[in-house]
Amino acid sequence: MEALLDPTQTQAPDKSALRTWGPLALILVLAALPFLPLPDFWIIQLNYIGIYTLPVLGLVLLTGVGGLTSFGQAAFVGIGAYTTAYLTVNTGLSPWVTLFIGLALTGLSAAIIGAITLRMSGHYLPLATIAWALSLYYLMGNLDALGKYDGILGVKGLSLFGFEFGQQRLFYGVVWLFAILAAFAVIRLLDSRSGRAIRSLAGGSQMAEAMGVNTLRFKIGIFVLAAMLASISGWLFAHFQRTVNPSPFGLKMGIEYLFMVVLGGAAHVWGAIAGAGIVKLLEDQLQVLLPKLIGTAGSYELIVFGIMIVLVLKYLPDGLWAFVDRRLPRPRRSVDWQGARDLPARARPAAGEVVLDVQAIRKTFGGLVAVNDISFQTRAGQIVGLIGPNGAGKSTTFNLVTGVLGLTSGAVRFRGEAIGGLGARQIAQRGVSRTFQHVKMVADMTVLENVALGAHLRGRKGAIAAMLRIDRAEERALFREAERQLQRVGMGEHLHELAGNLAMGQQRLLEIARALCADPALLLLDEPAAGLRHKEKEALGKVLRQLRGEGMSILLVEHDMGLVMDICDHIVVMEFGTHLMEGTPSEVQGSDKVRAAYLGTEH
Ligand code: ADP
Ligand code: MG
């Protein structure tokens, strides 16, 4: 009910209609263009823009959203183009068959290259894509079978049942049908369970893996999808130009695709299409204009593009579309999940069962022993506090328990199972969920979407289901759960706000709701009350007590001693990585050792 009364949801439906009707208007305009008395030149330009739109849409997913930079998209366009050119010319296969052969070849190459390079972090991927773009270019240029630098001539145009599409208005229909379908596929994908996982990739893998997202798989997935979009573009290109040669598939074009996406607005589908259009039209104008101005022939437009890239990156990092996007109202998800089914839930541990058993765990960083043979236990229906001065090793202990860091020695058992050697994702799968001392969320997703990411492991639907929109029942169930957990931590009024706009305390509550969405048996909270106001702290204490009542086991790192002493059943005190003492709140409060540690005096 509260969600229905939420003022943010009933406000100005006519304005948000712009988001729905805008794309429709664009499609109508695109559909009307070939019927207008435009000169053929402009139809051909629009065909090029449509052909460029496909790899650029792939880059929206890969670079704009996923944060992975590839200079090699033109090479994937090349695979699509050469496959269809070679096979249609030499074997007489129909282009409608070679389209799929090209897709399979491109997808396979991308999966292999992705599996090798996407494990590496930082600059390795861009460098690897440059190497890949260069080697494929020279391969295309040196293979006799592919006609070396002259390429393959005499590629047929597209036809269907003997009906020729030509190079103008009918071809325009084919190109833009693919482009618009791809645009909607990407938009739908981004608004789904897989999409939220993809959107979490750019922030580093730690949070995503802790939510159970297989980050490597999703990275390879968007790499392959982007490559396949490029492959379709290459197929269109070959049958449009009727000839292929290596030059449009080299590194220069790979850079140009990146420029299109950066200029338009890397994370926006419509911005990317605008970017493709602007770059193509600008390039044509500059190619004519610049040699005239300078007085000699040459590819001077590249210099202008180079300067523009730097300027855009510096002054317009979100691209041109950001201007439009800022003026459009935020999309509001209509609340349609009230009647959704429950998500699958985990079998709860019996009251008093040892949930977490930490045995002499140790972590060294170089010479520093950050966690020095720490042991403790937490039971179902118990809140255990882990306290100690800054630098005592509390967060490192969390990272060891949740698999973010590997153990130097020692053992961790969760519900009787040794989880010491497991990764963060496997540990999350078993029912351990956590928050981070330094909040980690996807700033440009709504609060609701961020929290739904916490329920990632409780959903099944993948990318294809999302693109076909057959994931809606599960989406409703995920959002219902996300809203339920947000209501529980007192964040029910902020469902549709962008997470990045929240105050610090609210961000922490978001993280708790997200962790609860995973239906954990053990909840690890790293300084959840930092930045919370007094009232919010009281509410947090109430929520934690309620969770304990439901049999949840909670491990709490917190500096607010009032809260710790109030709600903890048992407290472990750490200092300089070592176990100082443990006991009930009153035993800890009465301890001279603890007082000395906190006051920094010798003991
Ligand atoms: P706490 O959470 O109790 O404040 P931490 O666990 O964050 O303490 O840190 C314990 C010690 O380990 C500190 O001296 C810190 O500088 C060091 N440390 C933590 N993480 C790392 C890391 N990834 N690399 C090197 N040193 C680290
Ligand atoms: Mg810490």
Side-chain angles (χ1 to χ4, degrees):
M1 261 330 270
E2 265 184 68
L4 284 176
L5 299 174
D6 184 347
T8 59
Q9 284 172 23
T10 47
Q11 176 199 332
D14 51 325
K15 259 183 98 187
S16 66
L18 214 61
R19 288 217 180 238
T20 325
W21 295 109
L24 214 62
L26 176 81
I27 292 168
L28 284 178
V29 170
L30 282 171
L33 281 176
F35 297 104
L36 300 179
L38 284 179
D40 290 347
F41 169 80
W42 284 105
I43 295 294
I44 288 176
Q45 291 296 77
L46 286 166
N47 286 345
Y48 274 114
I49 294 172
I51 290 173
Y52 292 155
T53 290
L54 288 159
V56 169
L57 283 170
L59 282 176
V60 168
L61 209 55
L62 190 66
T63 307
V65 178
L68 303 166
T69 305
S70 166
F71 292 96
Q73 292 318 97
F76 292 125
V77 178
I79 298 184
Y82 267 96
T83 304
T84 193
Y86 182 83
L87 290 176
T88 52
V89 168
N90 292 304
T91 69
L93 276 174
S94 155
W96 302 100
V97 175
T98 56
L99 168 63
F100 293 97
I101 300 176
L103 278 172
L105 267 179
T106 321
L108 189 70
S109 349
I112 294 170
I113 297 168
I116 297 168
T117 53
L118 291 168
R119 281 171 214 279
M120 308 181 222
S121 54
H123 301 305
Y124 286 107
L125 178 72
L127 286 178
T129 60
I130 289 175
W132 148 247
L134 289 174
S135 45
L136 204 85
Y137 176 79
Y138 288 111
L139 186 72
M140 292 186 287
N142 285 298
L143 280 184
D144 280 325
L146 300 181
K148 299 202 164 177
Y149 288 99
D150 295 330
I152 300 172
L153 306 172
V155 181
K156 276 188 309 208
L158 283 183
S159 64
L160 197 61
F161 306 121
F163 189 76
E164 301 282 338
F165 287 101
Q167 281 168 309
Q168 285 150 24
R169 284 168 162 79
L170 288 173
F171 195 83
Y172 171 98
V174 179
V175 167
W176 281 97
L177 184 68
F178 274 105
I180 292 295
L181 283 179
F184 277 98
V186 172
I187 287 175
R188 286 173 164 197
L189 175 59
L190 287 175
D191 175 28
S192 73
R193 171 176 174 270
S194 299
R196 290 186 289 277
I198 293 167
R199 289 158 83 181
S200 74
L201 294 175
S205 63
Q206 219 183 80
M207 183 273 284
E209 289 277 332
M211 297 303 129
V213 173
N214 187 337
T215 51
L216 180 63
R217 224 188 84 201
F218 275 98
K219 283 179 186 172
I220 296 175
I222 54 176
F223 195 65
V224 168
L225 193 58
M228 288 170 86
L229 288 172
S231 180
I232 299 175
S233 167
W235 176 80
L236 288 165
F237 192 84
H239 295 289
F240 179 55
Q241 295 242 337
R242 312 280 168 92
T243 157
V244 295
N245 65 65
S247 63
F249 311 126
L251 188 57
K252 168 184 169 262
M253 200 57 211
I255 294 171
E256 226 167 281
Y257 286 132
L258 258 186
F259 181 46
M260 289 175 188
V261 82
V262 169
L263 180 75
H268 298 282
V269 165
W270 305 118
I273 298 180
I278 293 168
V279 172
K280 173 66 189 156
L281 299 179
L282 205 64
E283 187 177 23
D284 284 350
Q285 300 306 312
L286 292 176
Q287 266 170 357
V288 179
L289 197 68
L290 288 178
K292 267 193 207 155
L293 281 179
I294 297 166
T296 54
S299 299
Y300 299 112
E301 74 278 2
L302 283 182
I303 301 170
V304 177
F305 281 166
I307 296 169
M308 278 178 67
I309 289 192
V310 175
L311 290 177
V312 167
L313 286 177
K314 172 130 180 68
Y315 295 105
L316 268 179
D318 297 328
L320 293 172
W321 192 257
F323 283 111
V324 184
D325 195 61
R326 225 173 285 145
R327 279 158 187 77
L328 293 178
R330 288 240 62 79
R332 283 181 209 297
R333 187 175 293 280
S334 50
V335 179
D336 59 355
W337 53 79
Q338 256 94 10
R341 61 180 158 79
D342 284 330
L343 289 174
R346 209 180 295 281
R348 301 240 147 262
E353 179 189 320
V354 175
V355 174
L356 179 70
D357 188 8
V358 174
Q359 297 159 1
I361 58 168
R362 170 185 283 263
K363 182 71 190 177
T364 54
F365 294 115
L368 176 82
V369 187
V371 174
N372 191 350
D373 297 342
I374 294 290
S375 303
F376 61 90
Q377 288 187 337
T378 69
R379 292 170 183 277
Q382 200 185 29
I383 302 179
V384 173
L386 188 59
I387 66 168
N390 278 328
K394 308 179 295 291
S395 293
T396 305
T397 302
F398 267 32
N399 288 338
L400 292 174
V401 170
T402 55
V404 169
L405 294 173
L407 293 163
T408 302
S409 64
V412 181
R413 301 184 79 79
F414 175 67
R415 301 186 75 175
E417 183 192 358
I419 58 167
L422 299 181
R425 181 161 33 93
Q426 285 107 320
I427 293 177
Q429 265 161 1
R430 284 159 174 74
V432 179
S433 201
R434 66 171 294 179
T435 66
F436 295 87
Q437 181 177 348
H438 304 288
V439 173
K440 295 184 199 300
M441 52 184 200
V442 186
D444 61 1
M445 285 202 314
T446 64
V447 171
L448 191 73
E449 289 169 326
N450 267 283
V451 172
L453 182 61
H456 183 80
L457 287 171
R458 298 169 78 187
R460 287 282 157 272
K461 296 277 189 250
I464 292 169
M467 291 192 240
L468 298 174
R469 267 301 195 248
I470 51 173
D471 61 342
R472 292 296 105 178
E474 183 182 279
E475 282 287 281
R476 282 194 287 275
L478 291 171
F479 281 129
R480 176 168 165 259
E481 177 70 5
E483 185 189 2
R484 221 160 56 89
Q485 301 302 349
L486 277 162
Q487 301 278 9
R488 179 180 221 170
V489 299
M491 287 281 289
E493 316 247 289
H494 303 281
L495 304 185
H496 304 282
E497 266 169 56
L498 283 188
N501 293 344
L502 294 179
M504 196 62 206
Q506 296 170 331
Q507 294 182 5
R508 293 197 177 278
L509 294 173
L510 177 155
E511 280 214 329
I512 297 171
R514 187 179 63 198
L516 289 175
C517 249
D519 182 32
L522 172 67
L523 184 62
L524 291 91
L525 303 176
D526 201 345
E527 305 196 14
L532 259 59
R533 284 179 283 209
H534 183 67
K535 274 249 157 59
E536 291 170 330
K537 279 185 192 172
E538 276 181 352
L540 175 66
K542 226 172 90 185
V543 172
L544 296 186
R545 273 194 210 97
Q546 186 199 348
L547 289 170
R548 167 173 61 190
E550 293 167 13
M552 181 91 71
S553 177
I554 300 173
L555 187 60
L556 175 72
V557 166
E558 184 47 60
H559 284 300
D560 184 316
M561 283 307 132
L563 182 69
V564 170
M565 297 304 163
D566 190 28
I567 65 170
C568 288
D569 302 291
H570 188 81
I571 295 174
V572 179
V573 188
M574 290 179 73
E575 188 193 21
F576 301 127
T578 58
H579 180 281
L580 191 66
M581 74 157 294
E582 63 184 290
T584 62
S586 53
E587 284 166 359
V588 168
Q589 271 175 313
S591 157
D592 290 336
K593 277 200 289 189
V594 173
R595 206 167 298 133
Y598 270 90
L599 293 176
T601 51
E602 269 310 312
H603 50 271

